[in-house]
Amino acid sequence: MADYIYLIPLLPLMGFLLLFTTLGNLPKALVALVGVGSVASSAMLVLLTALEFMTLREPLSTTLYTWINVGGFSPFVSFYVDGLTLTMLSVITGVGLLIHIYSSLFMLDDKDYSRFFSYMNLFVFAMLVLVLADNLLLLFVGWEGVGLCSYLLVGFWHEDSANGAAARKAFIVTRVGDTAMAIGMFLLFAHLGTLDFAPMTAAAISQWPEGSPILTIACLLLLGGAVGKSAQLPLQTWLPDAMAGPTPVSALIHAATMVTAGVYLIARTHDLFLLSPFALNTVAVIGAATLLMAAFTAITQHDIKRILAYSTISQIGYMFLALGVGAWASSIFHLMTHAFFKALLFLAAGAVIYSLHHEHNIFKMGGLRKKLPVAFWSFLIGSAALAALPFTSGFYSKDAILLSAYENAWQGPLLWGIGLLGALLTSIYSFRLVFIVFFGEVKTEPSQPAGWLMAAPLLVLCLLALVGGFIVIPVMDVFPAATGPAHDGLIAIITPAVPIVGVVIAYLIFLSHSIDISPWTDSKIGKALNRFWFSHWAMDWLYDTFIVKPYAWMAHVNRMDIVDWFYNFTADVVRFLHDQTTQSQTGQLRTYAGVMVLGLAAITAIALFSGGGTAP
């Protein structure tokens, strides 16, 4: 099977090429068959690869060809499958397939149906290359590929200028992180002589002591790429605006592809981060700060998709927290369970939006529990998993992260407390969404529910969101073996109890209205905090004030381009001198003779006055 690993990314690429080159001239049924079928074929190959891997219990690899051979630098186009890769492949193709099936009906009325599926296939291809790559350079190709596809899909409805602005924002902000990552790769190659994962890790361990400044800088640069792609502080502002794309795109970005790339990068290079405690602690701090900031922001939002977007930023923060405290397997486990319940929530949100004539404001919804039963149960199960209620998939992964954070040698109780507060807020905003949208009075009458083709993926994801916590991921061959958290009984009780308390608080405030928060929210301080949290802690304002506006001002001042002005000035001077000298070329003999006489007279005068004619 190892010799056929290359087919896993190749099939979605072929689907993209077929749909892209036919320019939308294929019937929609055939478009759906190509778009969905290519990902389904890849998912089947991943299943066969998983069976072989679980039988042999050793990594699989294949090399296609030598990509470059310059100055001793000879990276291969080669693919490598171990437990970590297999977990990522399963999430990408499995959840991606369900999203493609859902999209085949959700996007059916769109005039650019073929273009949509071509981009989606290209997105899956790029992400598969990213996780299959056997070296950082090939990984970077997939990395840039998902960045391109996010731009294409976020701005898919480009007739609206706001969508184009959101796409450009996603592209530019993530480029900042990509630049840092590229510099980190240059630094690693300059000192280690390779970008292949195994030789690079071995060289780093033998060459650099723990805490080496150069290694720390390289790890921080790689972290810069990770925070950009995974929407963590300070490069997280692009993700909420990325909701401008179609809902299936949001599901694919948030659950199965782009935002998990940063988590995968750090997990794949974990041996480098283990040699740099400072970089590893920085990962934990970024994750803790991001999860808390995004949770406070989500609790104030009105748009159903933006609430889910901020929840994604927060949950990725938990994954970074886990990576930073060395709970590598727990981070990847949460990545998988998050893919299940976040895809479920986005697709359920799409079903609600689809039935409510593209309404996004949760306060214009309500009473949909009986009118949209599939969407209701999907949201209920997905929100329970997001809140990490006991016996859901999210519980097992998030509980492991929080307990590991508590036992961390560096600021463990503080990180645990931040994560616990984030879990409380997550539970509150998740069920705030459920109670407002599906209970109370009907404010917007829905059309008929979505068809079975949209409902089937939701039912599968409901099952995975419930039982996904029992899936054993094969990553222990990749990460260092670690014992379970040695927590005491009280911590083990508090950690799972807090999300339950959050559900109760949400019920008392938003459903039974037993607690009236209006005196606080209507107060001066309450309104100020609400505006501050709603604006995502004024992050966009900070960027606009200190980066965008100064840059725009400099561009306006320099609209004539000072560099071009300098070169144009020198060209004008040369052109002027040229024009003057050409005036002397009259073509008349007497003019030339006269000039010669004048020249001879000038030379004689200079010689006489300078003493040149005096005898020694």
Side-chain angles (χ1 to χ4, degrees), residues 162-390:
N163 296 340
R168 291 191 298 274
K169 183 177 182 179
F171 191 78
I172 293 169
V173 172
T174 55
R175 285 293 115 354
V176 176
D178 296 352
T179 302
M181 180 180 171
I183 296 172
M185 290 167 54
F186 294 149
L187 188 61
L188 288 171
F189 177 74
H191 287 270
L192 303 179
T194 181
L195 292 177
D196 292 347
F197 289 119
M200 181 179 67
T201 299
I205 293 173
S206 64
Q207 181 173 326
W208 286 323
E210 183 176 301
S212 167
I214 295 178
L215 175 62
T216 297
I217 292 171
C219 288
L220 291 176
L221 289 168
L222 293 180
L223 176 59
V227 299
K229 203 66 80 180
S230 289
Q232 298 292 284
L233 276 169
L235 300 178
Q236 81 285 14
T237 57
W238 67 269
L239 190 59
D241 290 352
M243 297 303 96
T247 299
V249 172
S250 303
L252 193 63
I253 290 176
H254 288 248
T257 56
M258 187 166 172
V259 296
T260 61
V263 178
Y264 172 77
L265 174 65
I266 297 175
R268 177 54 72 193
T269 57
H270 68 279
D271 285 319
L272 299 181
F273 281 86
L274 285 172
L275 291 174
S276 176
F278 179 80
L280 200 59
N281 291 334
T282 303
V283 175
V285 170
I286 288 175
T290 305
L291 73 88
L292 198 58
M293 173 185 284
F296 272 109
T297 305
I299 209 167
T300 64
Q301 299 299 306
H302 305 155
D303 187 303
I304 189 171
K305 288 176 64 177
R306 289 183 75 87
I307 294 172
L308 298 179
Y310 284 111
S311 78
T312 296
I313 297 174
S314 184
Q315 296 308 302
I316 299 292
Y318 277 102
M319 298 174 207
F320 270 65
L321 174 61
L323 294 170
V325 300
W328 310 101
S330 297
S331 177
I332 300 302
F333 189 32
H334 194 56
L335 184 154
M336 180 190 70
T337 60
H338 174 261
F340 297 153
F341 62 73
K342 187 51 60 69
L344 173 62
L345 286 169
F346 265 110
L347 297 187
V352 172
I353 294 168
Y354 185 87
S355 299
L356 295 185
H357 321 292
H358 300 283
E359 178 60 63
H360 285 232
N361 191 332
I362 61 173
F363 292 107
K364 294 182 180 180
M365 302 176 186
L368 301 177
R369 179 166 50 93
K370 295 181 179 179
K371 295 180 178 293
L372 301 175
V374 174
F376 166 67
W377 285 106
S378 298
F379 249 102
L380 186 63
I381 293 171
S383 296
L386 173 60
L389 295 185

Side-chain angles (χ1 to χ4, degrees), residues 394-478:
F395 164 76
Y396 295 101
S397 56
K398 188 181 289 186
D399 193 60
I401 291 173
L402 291 174
L403 295 177
S404 297
Y406 183 81
E407 295 300 322
N408 183 252
W410 183 83
Q411 300 293 335
L414 176 61
L415 296 176
W416 172 77
I418 292 174
L420 206 61
L421 177 57
L424 176 67
L425 294 172
T426 300
S427 185
I428 293 173
Y429 72 67
S430 298
F431 280 87
R432 166 183 178 259
L433 180 59
V434 171
F435 294 145
I436 291 175
V437 172
F438 294 100
F439 292 84
E441 63 181 43
V442 177
K443 296 177 182 177
T444 301
E445 193 65 35
S447 59
Q448 63 180 12
W452 68 269
L453 199 59
M454 291 174 65
L458 293 175
L459 298 177
V460 175
L461 289 168
C462 281
L463 180 63
L464 290 172
L466 288 173
V467 305
F470 297 101
I471 298 175
V472 178
I473 57 174
V475 296
M476 297 314 294
D477 63 321
V478 181

Side-chain angles (χ1 to χ4, degrees), residues 57-223:
R57 289 291 178 176
E58 61 182 28
L60 308 172
S61 63
T62 182
T63 299
L64 301 183
Y65 57 90
T66 301
W67 183 4
I68 305 170
N69 190 354
V70 178
F73 181 47
S74 302
F76 295 101
V77 175
S78 57
F79 298 136
Y80 178 82
V81 177
D82 60 5
L84 175 59
T85 309
L86 188 60
T87 303
M88 295 297 297
L89 289 176
S90 301
V91 170
I92 296 165
T93 58
V95 177
L97 174 60
L98 295 173
I99 294 171
H100 273 69
I101 294 172
Y102 178 95
S103 303
S104 63
L105 183 58
F106 187 89
M107 298 295 294
L108 191 60
D109 295 332
D110 197 283
K111 61 183 177 64
D112 292 318
Y113 192 71
S114 180
R115 180 166 64 90
F116 173 81
F117 273 103
S118 69
Y119 292 167
M120 292 282 277
N121 277 187
L122 185 62
F123 208 160
V124 172
F125 159 75
M127 192 66 190
L128 290 172
V129 169
L130 191 156
V131 300
L132 279 167
D134 195 23
N135 58 75
L136 264 177
L137 188 62
L138 186 58
L139 181 150
F140 195 66
V141 172
W143 188 274
E144 292 298 287
V146 296
L148 169 64
C149 293
S150 69
Y151 169 78
L152 295 173
L153 285 167
V154 170
F156 180 76
W157 288 320
H158 53 80
E159 294 86 354
D160 187 341
S161 60
N163 296 340
R168 291 191 298 274
K169 183 177 182 179
F171 191 78
I172 293 169
V173 172
T174 55
R175 285 293 115 354
V176 176
D178 296 352
T179 302
M181 180 180 171
I183 296 172
M185 290 167 54
F186 294 149
L187 188 61
L188 288 171
F189 177 74
H191 287 270
L192 303 179
T194 181
L195 292 177
D196 292 347
F197 289 119
M200 181 179 67
T201 299
I205 293 173
S206 64
Q207 181 173 326
W208 286 323
E210 183 176 301
S212 167
I214 295 178
L215 175 62
T216 297
I217 292 171
C219 288
L220 291 176
L221 289 168
L222 293 180
L223 176 59

